[in-house]
């Protein structure tokens, strides 16, 4: 599996080897439907505003779109491709504003209209190597992880860069805890994980903590203030407890 997301009480996952989109019922813990993918997948995201599933296929420079039936068997059906020349890297869905956000590999983040599936905006994100993405839709922040070792924060409404914070190099998949307003950036090359704080007052720059995270390139956060960091070299997942208070510094 390369990526997963939830929607309508189901899990949607991608299998890169089999080139499949898989629908899983978490109650029965079994796959209940599959659909073939046109190319190798990366990110998968459920779009509640349109009841669709979007899968990035960077090798083909596009996003593949599947409809998800409102009733009956939940088998996804291919409906469209969205061409993303120079990308896509990462994907996050903003149902509140009716947009999806993804990166080109260098310097640029794009916004896509969820209903028309057309590119609605192109923003300079300040990254030589655009990688991870995360969002705080309530505060209006879009977080961009840069491979060279920093986090840039964009305004979700205008695309303006609000601030930046440094981290270890080799940043790829990042995570965000909206309750604490903390972003997490594992650095594969620097063997660190940066915890970046202080976003409540529309500030992108904040204090930073470092945790040892050797070889890690991905992170995920839960609602219990824990961060899960992949450790591919040892075939395990590291669990980091973020003990800071909400909005702390």
């Amino acid at each position: 599996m390369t990526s997963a997301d939830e929607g309508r009480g189901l899990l949607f996952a991608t299998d890169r080897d089999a080139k499949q989109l898989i629908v899983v019922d978490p109650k029965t813990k079994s796959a209940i439907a599959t659909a073939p993918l046109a190319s190798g997948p990366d990110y998968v995201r459920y779009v509640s505003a349109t009841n669709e599933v979007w899968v990035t296929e960077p090798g083909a420079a596009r996003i593949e779109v599947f409809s998800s039936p409102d009733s009956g068997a939940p088998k996804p059906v291919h409906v469209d491709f969205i061409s993303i020349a120079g990308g896509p890297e990462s994907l996050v869905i903003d149902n509140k504003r009716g947009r999806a956000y993804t990166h080109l590999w260098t310097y640029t983040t794009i916004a896509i209209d969820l209903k028309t599936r057309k590119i609605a905006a192109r923003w300079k994100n300040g990254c030589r190597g655009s990688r991870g993405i995360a969002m705080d839709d309530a505060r209006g922040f879009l977080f961009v992880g840069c491979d060279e070792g920093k986090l840039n924060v964009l305004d979700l409404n205008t695309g303006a860069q609000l601030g930046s914070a440094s981290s270890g190099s080799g940043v790829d998949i990042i995570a965000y805890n909206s309750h604490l307003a903390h972003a997490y950036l594992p650095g594969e090359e620097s063997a660190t994980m940066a915890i970046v704080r202080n976003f409540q007052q529309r500030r992108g720059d904040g204090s930073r903590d470092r945790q040892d995270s050797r070889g890690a390139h991905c992170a995920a956060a839960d609602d219990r203030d824990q961060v899960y960091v992949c450790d591919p070299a040892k075939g395990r997942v590291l669990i980091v407890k973020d003990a800071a208070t909400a909005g702390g510094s």
Side-chain angles (χ1 to χ4, degrees), residues 168-227:
S169 60
V171 171
D172 194 350
I173 300 171
I174 66 175
Y176 181 69
N177 180 321
S178 59
H179 164 66
L180 296 176
H182 289 180
Y184 307 99
L185 289 84
E188 183 174 11
E189 297 171 5
S190 60
T192 61
M193 185 181 75
I195 303 175
V196 185
R197 308 172 178 172
N198 295 345
F199 294 106
Q200 262 99 338
Q201 283 72 48
R202 300 187 66 79
R203 291 175 52 201
D205 54 324
S207 58
R208 294 164 293 280
D209 290 343
R210 298 294 179 93
Q211 302 284 340
D212 184 40
S213 184
R214 299 182 185 279
H217 74 284
C218 57
D222 66 15
D223 58 2
R224 294 174 292 176
D225 301 337
Q226 296 182 133
V227 189

Side-chain angles (χ1 to χ4, degrees), residues 37-201:
L37 295 167
S39 303
D42 194 7
Y43 281 66
V44 58
R45 293 293 180 261
Y46 175 72
V47 183
S48 62
T50 58
N51 196 23
E52 294 174 340
V53 180
W54 289 23
V55 180
T56 64
E57 296 171 351
R62 65 191 179 192
I63 297 171
E64 188 168 7
V65 180
F66 294 82
S67 65
S68 182
D70 293 324
S71 60
K75 183 174 177 61
V77 177
H78 167 90
V79 292
D80 203 359
F81 289 118
I82 304 171
S83 179
I84 310 291
E89 166 61 357
S90 300
L91 182 67
V92 67
I93 306 299
D94 184 356
N95 288 290
K96 180 178 179 180
R97 295 168 181 81
R99 288 181 165 187
Y101 308 100
T102 188
H103 305 315
L104 306 188
W105 292 105
T106 57
Y107 296 112
T108 305
T109 295
I110 64 173
I112 305 168
D113 186 280
L114 293 179
K115 292 185 178 180
T116 66
R117 306 183 191 128
K118 304 296 184 183
I119 294 177
R122 293 176 180 266
W123 300 329
K124 293 297 182 183
N125 61 30
C127 294
R128 291 198 307 272
S130 309
R131 294 295 182 269
I133 198 167
M135 180 181 67
D136 188 328
D137 61 348
R139 297 181 178 95
F141 297 141
L142 185 69
F143 302 97
V144 184
C146 307
D147 175 67
E148 60 267 27
K150 63 180 178 179
L151 178 74
N152 291 335
V153 186
L154 308 183
D155 186 306
L156 276 172
N157 297 303
T158 67
Q161 186 169 326
L162 302 175
S164 183
S166 63
S167 69
S169 60
V171 171
D172 194 350
I173 300 171
I174 66 175
Y176 181 69
N177 180 321
S178 59
H179 164 66
L180 296 176
H182 289 180
Y184 307 99
L185 289 84
E188 183 174 11
E189 297 171 5
S190 60
T192 61
M193 185 181 75
I195 303 175
V196 185
R197 308 172 178 172
N198 295 345
F199 294 106
Q200 262 99 338
Q201 283 72 48

